[in-house]
Amino acid sequence: MTPTPPLFLLLLSLIGAQATVDVRTAAAMAAGLCKTRPTDIVFIIDSSRSVRPSEFEQVKVFLAKVIEGLDIGPNATRVGVVNYASRVKNEVSLKTYRTKAGLIKAVTKIEPLSTGTMTGLAIQFALNVAFSEGEGARVKSPDISKVAIIVTDGRPQDNVKDVAQRARDAGIEIFAIGVGRVDMSTLKQMASDSLDDHVDYVESYSVIEKLTKKFKEAFCVSDLCATGDHDCEQVCISSPGSFKCACKDGFTLMDNGRSCSACSNSATDVVFLIDGSKSVRPENFELVKKWINQIIDKLDVSESKAHVGLVQYSSSVKQEFPLGRYNNKKDLKDAVKKMAYMERGTMTGQALHYLTDNSFSAGQGARPGVAKVGIVFTDGRSQDYIGDAAKKTKEHGFKMYAVGVGNAVEDELKEIASEPTGEHYFYTADFKAMTQIAKKLQINICQEEDPCECDSLVKFQKKVEEALQALTKKYILYNG
């Protein structure tokens, strides 16, 4: 039988490479949401006599698959390859190839050296030569990572501990991959901390490609703004592997670095009315508590600004804590976390009456002349009539938000919500999607100006005073 050409095997394997990649990571990469940080990577591959030719082909397939997931370029990721046995050969310099296709083609042409196993010598070569500026390595910088990936299947015939330490001290991050009968203790001597992240073992070269996913993810930096994996209320600004929040014109970024406020002088009394019925289920109730704390993070909680109260309801109503008891976010959030799940019916109407008659009363900490906001959460149809209670909250001037999940009835949510309804009611089928509702829910209440202090009245008073002064002056001159 005619042997299959190594290059053909490599190309065939590359066609199926995406099948081994995690679906989520692949989707992120395909959408351009995941890029590799600028890195100088040098592969140090063992081609000693214990590595058979067919196994060495599998090592090259592994290298090619990892390279496929990188952003190759002079200002992005540069790749070098060091081949070693009893001697060391610099197969690919960091400066040589500027395109992915050229780099992969060069990898397919590497031939095994088939002698001893001088791993320490290979690491020393990488430190002195492969990672030198002359071979294309960039000047040491916090923005440029330097990575060595060592692949070996045996016990080194020289010392690796000291030279690996020197390489790590020089800022090179070392990953050690062992195959078959490799000596695990020497892998640990070579690898960077933590060893769990930097030491890998596979039982044979035939399965080394399963490590492809790990290295694609290791060098992947997600665009957190594009993936939505951020908690900015309005504007997200990307930076490599990170992000910062900003606000639209007319809004101010609050102290938490995420939320935006349209008012700097807003004092608000906010009461959460939370459905604790048995249909919610304990694991989802924990998600509800996290959701409450997300919203608390967006509020300017203090003695003079936002006060928060919490009420849970099921077949009965229970005040967890009244307005004004906690005036900092830490204490508030700790109190929310301690809320115990009631687990009975769904008497939303009764809960709304309680909100009006008790939660927003002066006796329960509500402040006179301060805006009142009610946030109602439910996951199902109310077992009592909500119409009168919902109407009463509006008559008292409360701003009401209604949030429903799962089996919540949207008509009931709209009945609870303030006008315009589209801005005050939210629904999602899945508890896990509540994070998105927390981002959308805006509580921007501005204090109205005291009519006695408004600009127009001050201007009018000033004009009157000027007119009187003019008349007085004219009168004095006329009688003089």
Side-chain angles (χ1 to χ4, degrees), residues 253-289:
L253 190 66
M254 295 177 66
D255 291 341
N256 61 22
R258 301 183 297 275
S259 306
C260 299
S261 175
C263 314
S264 58
N265 62 341
S266 55
T268 314
D269 285 346
V270 180
V271 175
F272 289 90
L273 205 60
I274 301 301
D275 179 356
S277 59
K278 60 178 175 287
S279 59
V280 174
R281 299 204 301 272
E283 65 273 19
N284 289 331
F285 195 70
E286 292 303 311
L287 294 176
V288 173
K289 291 195 281 187

PDB file of all heavy atoms in Angstrom, residues 253-289:
ATOM      1  N   LEU A 253     -21.525  59.092  34.876  1.00  0.00           N
ATOM      2  CA  LEU A 253     -21.119  57.778  35.374  1.00  0.00           C
ATOM      3  C   LEU A 253     -21.066  57.814  36.899  1.00  0.00           C
ATOM      4  O   LEU A 253     -20.436  58.680  37.495  1.00  0.00           O
ATOM      5  CB  LEU A 253     -19.747  57.403  34.817  1.00  0.00           C
ATOM      6  CG  LEU A 253     -19.287  55.962  35.064  1.00  0.00           C
ATOM      7  CD1 LEU A 253     -20.177  54.985  34.311  1.00  0.00           C
ATOM      8  CD2 LEU A 253     -17.841  55.796  34.646  1.00  0.00           C
ATOM      9  N   MET A 254     -21.718  56.856  37.526  1.00  0.00           N
ATOM     10  CA  MET A 254     -21.786  56.836  38.979  1.00  0.00           C
ATOM     11  C   MET A 254     -20.538  56.192  39.578  1.00  0.00           C
ATOM     12  O   MET A 254     -19.680  55.664  38.870  1.00  0.00           O
ATOM     13  CB  MET A 254     -23.058  56.108  39.428  1.00  0.00           C
ATOM     14  CG  MET A 254     -24.322  56.854  39.011  1.00  0.00           C
ATOM     15  SD  MET A 254     -25.848  55.984  39.441  1.00  0.00           S
ATOM     16  CE  MET A 254     -25.777  56.032  41.226  1.00  0.00           C
ATOM     17  N   ASP A 255     -20.439  56.243  40.906  1.00  0.00           N
ATOM     18  CA  ASP A 255     -19.236  55.784  41.602  1.00  0.00           C
ATOM     19  C   ASP A 255     -18.916  54.316  41.358  1.00  0.00           C
ATOM     20  O   ASP A 255     -17.764  53.900  41.452  1.00  0.00           O
ATOM     21  CB  ASP A 255     -19.380  56.023  43.112  1.00  0.00           C
ATOM     22  CG  ASP A 255     -19.366  57.513  43.459  1.00  0.00           C
ATOM     23  OD1 ASP A 255     -18.900  58.292  42.608  1.00  0.00           O
ATOM     24  OD2 ASP A 255     -19.815  57.869  44.561  1.00  0.00           O
ATOM     25  N   ASN A 256     -19.937  53.502  41.048  1.00  0.00           N
ATOM     26  CA  ASN A 256     -19.672  52.076  40.826  1.00  0.00           C
ATOM     27  C   ASN A 256     -19.010  51.787  39.487  1.00  0.00           C
ATOM     28  O   ASN A 256     -18.646  50.657  39.179  1.00  0.00           O
ATOM     29  CB  ASN A 256     -20.959  51.251  40.958  1.00  0.00           C
ATOM     30  CG  ASN A 256     -22.030  51.633  39.938  1.00  0.00           C
ATOM     31  OD1 ASN A 256     -21.732  52.202  38.889  1.00  0.00           O
ATOM     32  ND2 ASN A 256     -23.272  51.314  40.236  1.00  0.00           N
ATOM     33  N   GLY A 257     -18.831  52.835  38.671  1.00  0.00           N
ATOM     34  CA  GLY A 257     -18.131  52.673  37.406  1.00  0.00           C
ATOM     35  C   GLY A 257     -18.930  51.986  36.327  1.00  0.00           C
ATOM     36  O   GLY A 257     -18.413  51.706  35.243  1.00  0.00           O
ATOM     37  N   ARG A 258     -20.221  51.710  36.563  1.00  0.00           N
ATOM     38  CA  ARG A 258     -21.044  50.979  35.608  1.00  0.00           C
ATOM     39  C   ARG A 258     -22.355  51.693  35.282  1.00  0.00           C
ATOM     40  O   ARG A 258     -22.810  51.661  34.157  1.00  0.00           O
ATOM     41  CB  ARG A 258     -21.369  49.581  36.147  1.00  0.00           C
ATOM     42  CG  ARG A 258     -20.168  48.735  36.451  1.00  0.00           C
ATOM     43  CD  ARG A 258     -20.555  47.349  36.912  1.00  0.00           C
ATOM     44  NE  ARG A 258     -21.304  47.345  38.151  1.00  0.00           N
ATOM     45  CZ  ARG A 258     -20.747  47.358  39.361  1.00  0.00           C
ATOM     46  NH1 ARG A 258     -19.448  47.379  39.474  1.00  0.00           N
ATOM     47  NH2 ARG A 258     -21.477  47.332  40.456  1.00  0.00           N
ATOM     48  N   SER A 259     -22.959  52.298  36.312  1.00  0.00           N
ATOM     49  CA  SER A 259     -24.293  52.873  36.146  1.00  0.00           C
ATOM     50  C   SER A 259     -24.214  54.340  35.746  1.00  0.00           C
ATOM     51  O   SER A 259     -23.229  55.020  36.012  1.00  0.00           O
ATOM     52  CB  SER A 259     -25.079  52.741  37.452  1.00  0.00           C
ATOM     53  OG  SER A 259     -25.098  51.402  37.877  1.00  0.00           O
ATOM     54  N   CYS A 260     -25.290  54.814  35.116  1.00  0.00           N
ATOM     55  CA  CYS A 260     -25.367  56.194  34.665  1.00  0.00           C
ATOM     56  C   CYS A 260     -26.580  56.863  35.298  1.00  0.00           C
ATOM     57  O   CYS A 260     -27.636  56.255  35.432  1.00  0.00           O
ATOM     58  CB  CYS A 260     -25.483  56.254  33.152  1.00  0.00           C
ATOM     59  SG  CYS A 260     -24.066  55.510  32.299  1.00  0.00           S
ATOM     60  N   SER A 261     -26.420  58.108  35.681  1.00  0.00           N
ATOM     61  CA  SER A 261     -27.519  58.842  36.311  1.00  0.00           C
ATOM     62  C   SER A 261     -27.796  60.117  35.529  1.00  0.00           C
ATOM     63  O   SER A 261     -26.872  60.809  35.100  1.00  0.00           O
ATOM     64  CB  SER A 261     -27.180  59.193  37.768  1.00  0.00           C
ATOM     65  OG  SER A 261     -28.199  60.008  38.316  1.00  0.00           O
ATOM     66  N   ALA A 262     -29.082  60.410  35.327  1.00  0.00           N
ATOM     67  CA  ALA A 262     -29.465  61.653  34.673  1.00  0.00           C
ATOM     68  C   ALA A 262     -29.541  62.796  35.673  1.00  0.00           C
ATOM     69  O   ALA A 262     -29.666  63.950  35.303  1.00  0.00           O
ATOM     70  CB  ALA A 262     -30.816  61.484  33.983  1.00  0.00           C
ATOM     71  N   CYS A 263     -29.462  62.454  36.931  1.00  0.00           N
ATOM     72  CA  CYS A 263     -29.602  63.464  37.980  1.00  0.00           C
ATOM     73  C   CYS A 263     -28.508  63.281  39.023  1.00  0.00           C
ATOM     74  O   CYS A 263     -28.207  62.168  39.409  1.00  0.00           O
ATOM     75  CB  CYS A 263     -30.948  63.332  38.685  1.00  0.00           C
ATOM     76  SG  CYS A 263     -32.330  63.145  37.554  1.00  0.00           S
ATOM     77  N   SER A 264     -27.973  64.372  39.482  1.00  0.00           N
ATOM     78  CA  SER A 264     -26.953  64.282  40.527  1.00  0.00           C
ATOM     79  C   SER A 264     -27.551  64.573  41.902  1.00  0.00           C
ATOM     80  O   SER A 264     -26.909  64.406  42.919  1.00  0.00           O
ATOM     81  CB  SER A 264     -25.822  65.278  40.248  1.00  0.00           C
ATOM     82  OG  SER A 264     -26.333  66.597  40.186  1.00  0.00           O
ATOM     83  N   ASN A 265     -28.807  65.024  41.899  1.00  0.00           N
ATOM     84  CA  ASN A 265     -29.411  65.425  43.164  1.00  0.00           C
ATOM     85  C   ASN A 265     -30.610  64.566  43.538  1.00  0.00           C
ATOM     86  O   ASN A 265     -31.454  64.961  44.316  1.00  0.00           O
ATOM     87  CB  ASN A 265     -29.863  66.894  43.085  1.00  0.00           C
ATOM     88  CG  ASN A 265     -30.928  67.092  42.012  1.00  0.00           C
ATOM     89  OD1 ASN A 265     -31.077  66.269  41.130  1.00  0.00           O
ATOM     90  ND2 ASN A 265     -31.652  68.198  42.090  1.00  0.00           N
ATOM     91  N   SER A 266     -30.711  63.346  42.918  1.00  0.00           N
ATOM     92  CA  SER A 266     -31.924  62.558  43.092  1.00  0.00           C
ATOM     93  C   SER A 266     -31.978  61.845  44.439  1.00  0.00           C
ATOM     94  O   SER A 266     -31.043  61.162  44.827  1.00  0.00           O
ATOM     95  CB  SER A 266     -32.042  61.526  41.962  1.00  0.00           C
ATOM     96  OG  SER A 266     -30.885  60.731  41.896  1.00  0.00           O
ATOM     97  N   ALA A 267     -33.071  62.047  45.150  1.00  0.00           N
ATOM     98  CA  ALA A 267     -33.372  61.281  46.366  1.00  0.00           C
ATOM     99  C   ALA A 267     -34.579  60.417  46.034  1.00  0.00           C
ATOM    100  O   ALA A 267     -35.599  60.914  45.559  1.00  0.00           O
ATOM    101  CB  ALA A 267     -33.673  62.215  47.520  1.00  0.00           C
ATOM    102  N   THR A 268     -34.468  59.123  46.260  1.00  0.00           N
ATOM    103  CA  THR A 268     -35.509  58.184  45.840  1.00  0.00           C
ATOM    104  C   THR A 268     -35.721  57.125  46.904  1.00  0.00           C
ATOM    105  O   THR A 268     -34.761  56.632  47.500  1.00  0.00           O
ATOM    106  CB  THR A 268     -35.094  57.476  44.527  1.00  0.00           C
ATOM    107  OG1 THR A 268     -34.588  58.431  43.607  1.00  0.00           O
ATOM    108  CG2 THR A 268     -36.262  56.737  43.907  1.00  0.00           C
ATOM    109  N   ASP A 269     -36.994  56.764  47.148  1.00  0.00           N
ATOM    110  CA  ASP A 269     -37.343  55.622  47.987  1.00  0.00           C
ATOM    111  C   ASP A 269     -37.749  54.480  47.069  1.00  0.00           C
ATOM    112  O   ASP A 269     -38.729  54.594  46.323  1.00  0.00           O
ATOM    113  CB  ASP A 269     -38.502  55.964  48.925  1.00  0.00           C
ATOM    114  CG  ASP A 269     -38.075  56.860  50.082  1.00  0.00           C
ATOM    115  OD1 ASP A 269     -36.857  56.995  50.316  1.00  0.00           O
ATOM    116  OD2 ASP A 269     -38.956  57.423  50.747  1.00  0.00           O
ATOM    117  N   VAL A 270     -36.977  53.389  47.090  1.00  0.00           N
ATOM    118  CA  VAL A 270     -37.223  52.250  46.201  1.00  0.00           C
ATOM    119  C   VAL A 270     -37.594  51.025  47.032  1.00  0.00           C
ATOM    120  O   VAL A 270     -36.866  50.664  47.959  1.00  0.00           O
ATOM    121  CB  VAL A 270     -35.968  51.922  45.354  1.00  0.00           C
ATOM    122  CG1 VAL A 270     -36.245  50.739  44.428  1.00  0.00           C
ATOM    123  CG2 VAL A 270     -35.520  53.136  44.558  1.00  0.00           C
ATOM    124  N   VAL A 271     -38.727  50.389  46.712  1.00  0.00           N
ATOM    125  CA  VAL A 271     -39.134  49.172  47.414  1.00  0.00           C
ATOM    126  C   VAL A 271     -39.290  48.040  46.392  1.00  0.00           C
ATOM    127  O   VAL A 271     -40.007  48.190  45.393  1.00  0.00           O
ATOM    128  CB  VAL A 271     -40.453  49.364  48.186  1.00  0.00           C
ATOM    129  CG1 VAL A 271     -40.904  48.034  48.795  1.00  0.00           C
ATOM    130  CG2 VAL A 271     -40.275  50.405  49.289  1.00  0.00           C
ATOM    131  N   PHE A 272     -38.614  46.936  46.650  1.00  0.00           N
ATOM    132  CA  PHE A 272     -38.767  45.727  45.839  1.00  0.00           C
ATOM    133  C   PHE A 272     -39.885  44.875  46.423  1.00  0.00           C
ATOM    134  O   PHE A 272     -39.930  44.644  47.636  1.00  0.00           O
ATOM    135  CB  PHE A 272     -37.476  44.902  45.850  1.00  0.00           C
ATOM    136  CG  PHE A 272     -36.344  45.508  45.073  1.00  0.00           C
ATOM    137  CD1 PHE A 272     -35.451  46.369  45.684  1.00  0.00           C
ATOM    138  CD2 PHE A 272     -36.170  45.203  43.729  1.00  0.00           C
ATOM    139  CE1 PHE A 272     -34.396  46.930  44.970  1.00  0.00           C
ATOM    140  CE2 PHE A 272     -35.124  45.749  43.009  1.00  0.00           C
ATOM    141  CZ  PHE A 272     -34.236  46.618  43.632  1.00  0.00           C
ATOM    142  N   LEU A 273     -40.772  44.410  45.563  1.00  0.00           N
ATOM    143  CA  LEU A 273     -41.884  43.540  45.956  1.00  0.00           C
ATOM    144  C   LEU A 273     -41.650  42.206  45.231  1.00  0.00           C
ATOM    145  O   LEU A 273     -41.872  42.089  44.029  1.00  0.00           O
ATOM    146  CB  LEU A 273     -43.209  44.178  45.521  1.00  0.00           C
ATOM    147  CG  LEU A 273     -44.480  43.813  46.274  1.00  0.00           C
ATOM    148  CD1 LEU A 273     -44.353  44.187  47.737  1.00  0.00           C
ATOM    149  CD2 LEU A 273     -45.674  44.542  45.667  1.00  0.00           C
ATOM    150  N   ILE A 274     -41.180  41.195  45.953  1.00  0.00           N
ATOM    151  CA  ILE A 274     -40.642  39.990  45.341  1.00  0.00           C
ATOM    152  C   ILE A 274     -41.535  38.779  45.578  1.00  0.00           C
ATOM    153  O   ILE A 274     -41.875  38.448  46.722  1.00  0.00           O
ATOM    154  CB  ILE A 274     -39.222  39.700  45.889  1.00  0.00           C
ATOM    155  CG1 ILE A 274     -38.303  40.874  45.602  1.00  0.00           C
ATOM    156  CG2 ILE A 274     -38.669  38.406  45.313  1.00  0.00           C
ATOM    157  CD1 ILE A 274     -38.142  41.218  44.144  1.00  0.00           C
ATOM    158  N   ASP A 275     -41.888  38.111  44.490  1.00  0.00           N
ATOM    159  CA  ASP A 275     -42.703  36.886  44.517  1.00  0.00           C
ATOM    160  C   ASP A 275     -41.841  35.737  45.046  1.00  0.00           C
ATOM    161  O   ASP A 275     -40.837  35.357  44.445  1.00  0.00           O
ATOM    162  CB  ASP A 275     -43.173  36.606  43.087  1.00  0.00           C
ATOM    163  CG  ASP A 275     -44.008  35.338  42.962  1.00  0.00           C
ATOM    164  OD1 ASP A 275     -44.171  34.620  43.964  1.00  0.00           O
ATOM    165  OD2 ASP A 275     -44.486  35.079  41.845  1.00  0.00           O
ATOM    166  N   GLY A 276     -42.270  35.168  46.202  1.00  0.00           N
ATOM    167  CA  GLY A 276     -41.567  34.033  46.782  1.00  0.00           C
ATOM    168  C   GLY A 276     -42.408  32.772  46.746  1.00  0.00           C
ATOM    169  O   GLY A 276     -42.267  31.897  47.605  1.00  0.00           O
ATOM    170  N   SER A 277     -43.300  32.658  45.740  1.00  0.00           N
ATOM    171  CA  SER A 277     -44.196  31.495  45.657  1.00  0.00           C
ATOM    172  C   SER A 277     -43.433  30.232  45.284  1.00  0.00           C
ATOM    173  O   SER A 277     -42.306  30.282  44.809  1.00  0.00           O
ATOM    174  CB  SER A 277     -45.304  31.766  44.627  1.00  0.00           C
ATOM    175  OG  SER A 277     -44.744  32.015  43.362  1.00  0.00           O
ATOM    176  N   LYS A 278     -44.078  29.093  45.484  1.00  0.00           N
ATOM    177  CA  LYS A 278     -43.388  27.802  45.305  1.00  0.00           C
ATOM    178  C   LYS A 278     -42.995  27.531  43.860  1.00  0.00           C
ATOM    179  O   LYS A 278     -42.086  26.762  43.581  1.00  0.00           O
ATOM    180  CB  LYS A 278     -44.251  26.652  45.833  1.00  0.00           C
ATOM    181  CG  LYS A 278     -45.596  26.471  45.176  1.00  0.00           C
ATOM    182  CD  LYS A 278     -46.314  25.266  45.760  1.00  0.00           C
ATOM    183  CE  LYS A 278     -47.733  25.110  45.213  1.00  0.00           C
ATOM    184  NZ  LYS A 278     -48.646  26.127  45.770  1.00  0.00           N
ATOM    185  N   SER A 279     -43.676  28.203  42.897  1.00  0.00           N
ATOM    186  CA  SER A 279     -43.346  27.982  41.488  1.00  0.00           C
ATOM    187  C   SER A 279     -41.992  28.564  41.103  1.00  0.00           C
ATOM    188  O   SER A 279     -41.424  28.197  40.075  1.00  0.00           O
ATOM    189  CB  SER A 279     -44.434  28.582  40.594  1.00  0.00           C
ATOM    190  OG  SER A 279     -44.554  29.977  40.839  1.00  0.00           O
ATOM    191  N   VAL A 280     -41.470  29.491  41.908  1.00  0.00           N
ATOM    192  CA  VAL A 280     -40.180  30.120  41.596  1.00  0.00           C
ATOM    193  C   VAL A 280     -39.050  29.106  41.678  1.00  0.00           C
ATOM    194  O   VAL A 280     -38.139  29.082  40.857  1.00  0.00           O
ATOM    195  CB  VAL A 280     -39.906  31.318  42.540  1.00  0.00           C
ATOM    196  CG1 VAL A 280     -38.504  31.870  42.325  1.00  0.00           C
ATOM    197  CG2 VAL A 280     -40.951  32.414  42.337  1.00  0.00           C
ATOM    198  N   ARG A 281     -39.102  28.243  42.716  1.00  0.00           N
ATOM    199  CA  ARG A 281     -38.091  27.221  42.992  1.00  0.00           C
ATOM    200  C   ARG A 281     -36.824  27.833  43.618  1.00  0.00           C
ATOM    201  O   ARG A 281     -36.421  28.925  43.264  1.00  0.00           O
ATOM    202  CB  ARG A 281     -37.728  26.382  41.760  1.00  0.00           C
ATOM    203  CG  ARG A 281     -38.894  25.621  41.193  1.00  0.00           C
ATOM    204  CD  ARG A 281     -38.451  24.407  40.390  1.00  0.00           C
ATOM    205  NE  ARG A 281     -37.589  24.729  39.275  1.00  0.00           N
ATOM    206  CZ  ARG A 281     -38.010  25.044  38.056  1.00  0.00           C
ATOM    207  NH1 ARG A 281     -39.310  25.086  37.806  1.00  0.00           N
ATOM    208  NH2 ARG A 281     -37.169  25.291  37.096  1.00  0.00           N
ATOM    209  N   PRO A 282     -36.225  27.098  44.556  1.00  0.00           N
ATOM    210  CA  PRO A 282     -35.092  27.645  45.332  1.00  0.00           C
ATOM    211  C   PRO A 282     -33.931  28.143  44.482  1.00  0.00           C
ATOM    212  O   PRO A 282     -33.369  29.200  44.747  1.00  0.00           O
ATOM    213  CB  PRO A 282     -34.677  26.454  46.209  1.00  0.00           C
ATOM    214  CG  PRO A 282     -35.914  25.634  46.360  1.00  0.00           C
ATOM    215  CD  PRO A 282     -36.640  25.773  45.060  1.00  0.00           C
ATOM    216  N   GLU A 283     -33.541  27.379  43.446  1.00  0.00           N
ATOM    217  CA  GLU A 283     -32.373  27.791  42.655  1.00  0.00           C
ATOM    218  C   GLU A 283     -32.643  29.084  41.899  1.00  0.00           C
ATOM    219  O   GLU A 283     -31.760  29.934  41.747  1.00  0.00           O
ATOM    220  CB  GLU A 283     -31.950  26.674  41.686  1.00  0.00           C
ATOM    221  CG  GLU A 283     -32.943  26.333  40.592  1.00  0.00           C
ATOM    222  CD  GLU A 283     -33.980  25.289  40.996  1.00  0.00           C
ATOM    223  OE1 GLU A 283     -34.164  25.078  42.225  1.00  0.00           O
ATOM    224  OE2 GLU A 283     -34.605  24.682  40.107  1.00  0.00           O
ATOM    225  N   ASN A 284     -33.898  29.281  41.452  1.00  0.00           N
ATOM    226  CA  ASN A 284     -34.242  30.521  40.757  1.00  0.00           C
ATOM    227  C   ASN A 284     -34.374  31.686  41.732  1.00  0.00           C
ATOM    228  O   ASN A 284     -34.104  32.838  41.369  1.00  0.00           O
ATOM    229  CB  ASN A 284     -35.537  30.346  39.960  1.00  0.00           C
ATOM    230  CG  ASN A 284     -35.355  29.448  38.759  1.00  0.00           C
ATOM    231  OD1 ASN A 284     -34.272  29.381  38.195  1.00  0.00           O
ATOM    232  ND2 ASN A 284     -36.403  28.741  38.371  1.00  0.00           N
ATOM    233  N   PHE A 285     -34.805  31.392  42.963  1.00  0.00           N
ATOM    234  CA  PHE A 285     -34.917  32.448  43.963  1.00  0.00           C
ATOM    235  C   PHE A 285     -33.536  33.056  44.248  1.00  0.00           C
ATOM    236  O   PHE A 285     -33.423  34.256  44.486  1.00  0.00           O
ATOM    237  CB  PHE A 285     -35.535  31.893  45.257  1.00  0.00           C
ATOM    238  CG  PHE A 285     -36.009  32.954  46.205  1.00  0.00           C
ATOM    239  CD1 PHE A 285     -37.111  33.741  45.917  1.00  0.00           C
ATOM    240  CD2 PHE A 285     -35.340  33.181  47.410  1.00  0.00           C
ATOM    241  CE1 PHE A 285     -37.540  34.726  46.792  1.00  0.00           C
ATOM    242  CE2 PHE A 285     -35.762  34.153  48.285  1.00  0.00           C
ATOM    243  CZ  PHE A 285     -36.872  34.935  47.983  1.00  0.00           C
ATOM    244  N   GLU A 286     -32.497  32.228  44.185  1.00  0.00           N
ATOM    245  CA  GLU A 286     -31.130  32.749  44.354  1.00  0.00           C
ATOM    246  C   GLU A 286     -30.772  33.686  43.203  1.00  0.00           C
ATOM    247  O   GLU A 286     -30.099  34.699  43.410  1.00  0.00           O
ATOM    248  CB  GLU A 286     -30.129  31.590  44.436  1.00  0.00           C
ATOM    249  CG  GLU A 286     -30.254  30.744  45.681  1.00  0.00           C
ATOM    250  CD  GLU A 286     -30.119  31.559  46.963  1.00  0.00           C
ATOM    251  OE1 GLU A 286     -29.144  32.344  47.064  1.00  0.00           O
ATOM    252  OE2 GLU A 286     -30.982  31.427  47.845  1.00  0.00           O
ATOM    253  N   LEU A 287     -31.234  33.356  41.979  1.00  0.00           N
ATOM    254  CA  LEU A 287     -30.992  34.241  40.839  1.00  0.00           C
ATOM    255  C   LEU A 287     -31.731  35.561  40.998  1.00  0.00           C
ATOM    256  O   LEU A 287     -31.228  36.622  40.616  1.00  0.00           O
ATOM    257  CB  LEU A 287     -31.439  33.557  39.536  1.00  0.00           C
ATOM    258  CG  LEU A 287     -30.648  32.319  39.108  1.00  0.00           C
ATOM    259  CD1 LEU A 287     -31.274  31.704  37.851  1.00  0.00           C
ATOM    260  CD2 LEU A 287     -29.192  32.660  38.844  1.00  0.00           C
ATOM    261  N   VAL A 288     -32.936  35.502  41.582  1.00  0.00           N
ATOM    262  CA  VAL A 288     -33.710  36.726  41.833  1.00  0.00           C
ATOM    263  C   VAL A 288     -32.956  37.631  42.804  1.00  0.00           C
ATOM    264  O   VAL A 288     -32.880  38.851  42.608  1.00  0.00           O
ATOM    265  CB  VAL A 288     -35.114  36.383  42.379  1.00  0.00           C
ATOM    266  CG1 VAL A 288     -35.845  37.655  42.789  1.00  0.00           C
ATOM    267  CG2 VAL A 288     -35.926  35.619  41.348  1.00  0.00           C
ATOM    268  N   LYS A 289     -32.369  37.051  43.840  1.00  0.00           N
ATOM    269  CA  LYS A 289     -31.609  37.858  44.812  1.00  0.00           C
ATOM    270  C   LYS A 289     -30.408  38.530  44.149  1.00  0.00           C
ATOM    271  O   LYS A 289     -30.099  39.693  44.423  1.00  0.00           O
ATOM    272  CB  LYS A 289     -31.189  36.984  46.004  1.00  0.00           C
ATOM    273  CG  LYS A 289     -32.367  36.550  46.871  1.00  0.00           C
ATOM    274  CD  LYS A 289     -31.933  36.006  48.219  1.00  0.00           C
ATOM    275  CE  LYS A 289     -31.446  34.596  48.142  1.00  0.00           C
ATOM    276  NZ  LYS A 289     -31.187  34.020  49.479  1.00  0.00           N
TER     277      LYS A 289
END
